[in-house]
């Protein structure tokens, strides 16, 4: 029975970890979709041009396909606007209803269509993995009831994220909807990491606990909050880039950064603050934690990611925002949040253990 329990825990954690990796792959693919301008490669959802497998040539579509899918999107937007009004978000509802950019329908592009289609396939794969995670979580409920509860919540969250993704398409990539979609993905990966950490306590030993000062947890928490703000600021910069690139016909990339203005200056200056906060955290983590402890090792990973994140940001600023750097920059920012969550959980466990034993 004990062996069966360990096997159930190991099986659950394996699937959970694979799901975390899959979500990060999806975030990377989402960045590629954004940087390649493929967000509207499929004008409908969940199908793509009304098919499970999208077309490869415009001849496979009716001559008035743009009008057909525009009308479908507008009908869906009307329902979404009505829902927002009922929920009390009258201003947002009005903003969507009066947004003329939503009425623009892109021409069929097979490359963009298939990039977006692969993005959706990755989303389906994550949905299936989440369902498997829920199924694997049930045997663990006798030891920790919160593991299946949180796993079921993650499934509900994935369904909600999918629905928000459909709204992103129907609103023709409305900027704040893209940001909201991204923040939901970060919430999902954070919850998956938390469940993985929680399930590990069922089978792993307590290990060596350290006397970690509370100020380390506090400065890391501040760093995590600032990182989330920085990601939102980054999406605002990305919105400006989209507008500028569109106005210049996706040409003159070297001029894009110079035309962004205040949003870019805030985003760039904020990275300096972030670096300072995390240098302070790393100094304290190096000073007060064991060299081969999980906290120390993950702290090193965190600093490497932050340096790479700043480097890719500088690369985009000084080299005309290369398309290949944009998804990497987004992925690194998302990985930073994940590592911060891991560290907060590890540090909190050490602090809680010392409180309970004193």
């Amino acid at each position: 029975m004990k062996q069966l329990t360990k096997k159930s825990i190991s099986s659950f954690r394996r699937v959970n970890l694979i799901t975390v990796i899959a979500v990060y792959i999806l975030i990377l693919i989402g960045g590629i979709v954004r940087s390649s301008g493929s967000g509207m490669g499929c004008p409908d959802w969940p199908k793509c041009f009304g098919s499970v497998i999208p077309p490869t040539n415009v001849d496979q579509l009716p001559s008035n396909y743009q009008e057909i899918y525009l009308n479908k999107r507008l009908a869906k937007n009307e329902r979404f606007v009505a829902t927002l009004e009922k929920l009390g978000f009258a201003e947002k509802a009005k903003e969507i209803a009066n947004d003329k950019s939503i009425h623009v329908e892109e021409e069929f592009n097979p490359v963009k269509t298939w990039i977006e289609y692969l993005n959706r396939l990755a989303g389906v794969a994550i949905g299936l993995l989440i369902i498997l995670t829920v199924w694997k979580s049930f045997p663990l409920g006798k030891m920790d009831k919160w593991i299946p509860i949180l796993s079921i919540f993650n499934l509900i969250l994935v369904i909600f994220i999918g629905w928000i993704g459909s709204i992103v398409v129907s609103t023709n990539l409305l900027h704040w909807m893209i940001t909201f979609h991204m923040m939901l993905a970060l919430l999902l990966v954070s919850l998956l990491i938390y469940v993985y950490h929680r399930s590990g306590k069922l089978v792993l030993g307590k290990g060596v606990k350290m006397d970690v000062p509370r100020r380390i947890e506090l400065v890391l928490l501040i760093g995590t909050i600032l990182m989330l703000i920085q990601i939102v600021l980054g999406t605002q910069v990305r919105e400006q880039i989209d507008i500028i690139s569109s106005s210049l016909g996706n040409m003159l990339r070297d001029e894009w950064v110079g035309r962004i203005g205040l949003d870019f200056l805030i985003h760039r200056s904020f990275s300096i603050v972030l670096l300072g906060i995390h240098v302070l955290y790393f100094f304290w983590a190096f000073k007060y934690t064991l060299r081969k402890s999980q906290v120390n090792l993950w702290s090193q990973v965190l600093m490497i990611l932050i340096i790479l994140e700043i480097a890719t940001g500088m690369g985009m600023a000084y080299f005309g925002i290369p398309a290949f750097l944009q998804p990497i920059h987004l992925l690194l920012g998302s990985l930073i949040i994940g590592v911060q969550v891991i560290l907060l959980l590890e540090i909190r466990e050490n602090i809680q253990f010392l409180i309970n034993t004193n």
Side-chain angles (χ1 to χ4, degrees):
M1 182 69 178
K2 188 175 181 180
Q3 188 66 29
L4 181 62
T5 300
K6 285 187 177 181
K7 186 177 179 181
S8 297
I9 296 171
S10 298
S11 179
F12 170 79
R13 300 189 82 228
R14 191 182 307 114
V15 174
N16 191 285
L17 180 59
I18 291 171
T19 307
V20 171
I21 295 170
V23 173
Y24 275 120
I25 292 173
L26 181 60
I27 290 172
L28 176 61
I29 295 173
I32 295 171
V33 169
R34 190 85 191 274
S35 64
S36 63
S38 304
M40 290 302 293
C42 296
D44 51 339
W45 190 97
K47 293 183 179 181
C48 187
F49 285 102
S51 302
V52 176
I53 299 177
T56 56
N57 192 293
V58 71
D59 294 336
Q60 297 172 261
L61 297 170
S63 59
N64 63 334
Y65 73 90
Q66 289 179 295
E67 181 183 349
I68 292 172
Y69 291 106
L70 174 60
N71 290 333
K72 287 184 177 181
R73 290 197 299 105
L74 293 179
K76 187 167 188 174
N77 285 343
E78 288 179 6
R79 295 193 295 271
F80 182 54
V81 166
T83 301
L84 287 177
E85 289 175 343
K86 290 178 182 177
L87 294 174
F89 298 102
E91 287 299 320
K92 283 297 179 185
K94 185 178 180 181
E95 178 185 335
I96 294 173
N98 296 329
D99 193 332
K100 300 301 181 184
S101 67
I102 292 175
H103 295 254
V104 177
E105 189 68 33
E106 292 189 15
E107 293 184 3
F108 173 77
N109 182 309
V111 175
K112 292 182 178 182
T113 292
W114 277 85
I115 290 174
E116 170 60 15
Y117 180 65
L118 292 175
N119 180 45
R120 295 188 185 186
L121 286 181
V124 171
I126 287 173
L128 294 174
L129 283 170
I130 290 287
I131 292 172
L132 184 58
T133 302
V134 172
W135 180 57
K136 294 280 188 180
S137 72
F138 290 139
L140 280 60
K142 295 179 181 179
M143 294 169 281
D144 186 345
K145 66 178 182 179
W146 282 104
I147 290 177
I149 290 173
L150 289 170
S151 297
I152 292 171
F153 178 80
N154 284 337
L155 176 59
I156 296 170
L157 181 58
V158 164
I159 294 171
F160 181 65
I161 290 172
W163 177 71
I164 291 296
S166 74
I167 300 300
V168 169
V169 172
S170 71
T171 56
N172 199 5
L173 311 180
L174 193 63
H175 296 308
W176 65 268
M177 288 298 298
I178 295 175
T179 301
F180 183 49
H181 195 242
M182 178 64 193
M183 299 309 288
L184 287 174
L186 292 177
L187 173 61
L188 174 63
V189 80
S190 298
L191 286 172
L192 286 167
I193 290 171
Y194 173 71
V195 173
Y196 182 83
H197 176 84
R198 192 177 182 104
S199 64
K201 293 192 289 185
L202 300 177
V203 69
L204 301 176
K206 292 184 181 295
V208 179
K209 298 300 175 180
M210 303 165 291
D211 188 5
V212 181
R214 282 186 174 275
R215 63 177 178 270
I216 292 182
E217 181 187 27
L218 178 61
V219 75
L220 180 59
L221 181 61
I222 293 172
T224 304
I225 294 170
L226 292 179
M227 188 62 207
L228 287 169
I229 295 172
Q230 178 72 328
I231 288 175
V232 173
L233 291 173
T235 61
Q236 292 178 349
V237 171
R238 180 66 217 181
E239 290 169 12
Q240 294 299 315
I241 290 173
D242 288 344
I243 295 170
I244 293 167
S245 64
S246 177
S247 66
L248 296 176
N250 208 31
M251 304 290 287
L252 304 174
R253 298 183 75 96
D254 292 340
E255 297 184 14
W256 291 2
V257 172
R259 298 193 181 201
I260 296 173
L262 185 60
D263 286 342
F264 173 72
L265 294 176
I266 294 173
H267 185 59
R268 184 180 64 182
S269 301
F270 213 75
S271 64
I272 299 173
V273 175
L274 266 174
L275 179 62
I277 288 288
H278 285 93
V279 166
L280 176 62
Y281 161 77
F282 184 73
F283 172 76
W284 282 345
F286 188 80
K287 181 178 180 180
Y288 292 108
T289 63
L290 300 174
R291 295 297 170 263
K292 293 186 178 181
S293 67
Q294 289 295 309
V295 172
N296 195 283
L297 293 174
W298 279 111
S299 296
Q300 294 176 49
V301 172
L302 177 61
M303 285 306 301
I304 291 171
L305 289 173
I306 288 174
I307 291 170
L308 289 174
E309 175 78 340
I310 292 174
T312 54
M314 292 174 63
M316 288 194 293
Y318 292 108
F319 296 103
I321 315 181
F324 78 93
L325 274 182
Q326 295 174 45
I328 295 174
H329 190 65
L330 175 64
L331 177 63
L332 288 170
S334 304
L335 286 170
I336 288 170
I337 294 295
V339 173
Q340 287 172 327
V341 170
I342 292 171
L343 281 166
L344 286 169
L345 291 171
E346 289 288 340
I347 292 170
R348 168 51 47 181
E349 187 175 333
N350 276 277
I351 292 174
Q352 195 63 42
F353 176 81
L354 291 167
I355 289 174
N356 293 337
T357 53
N358 288 337

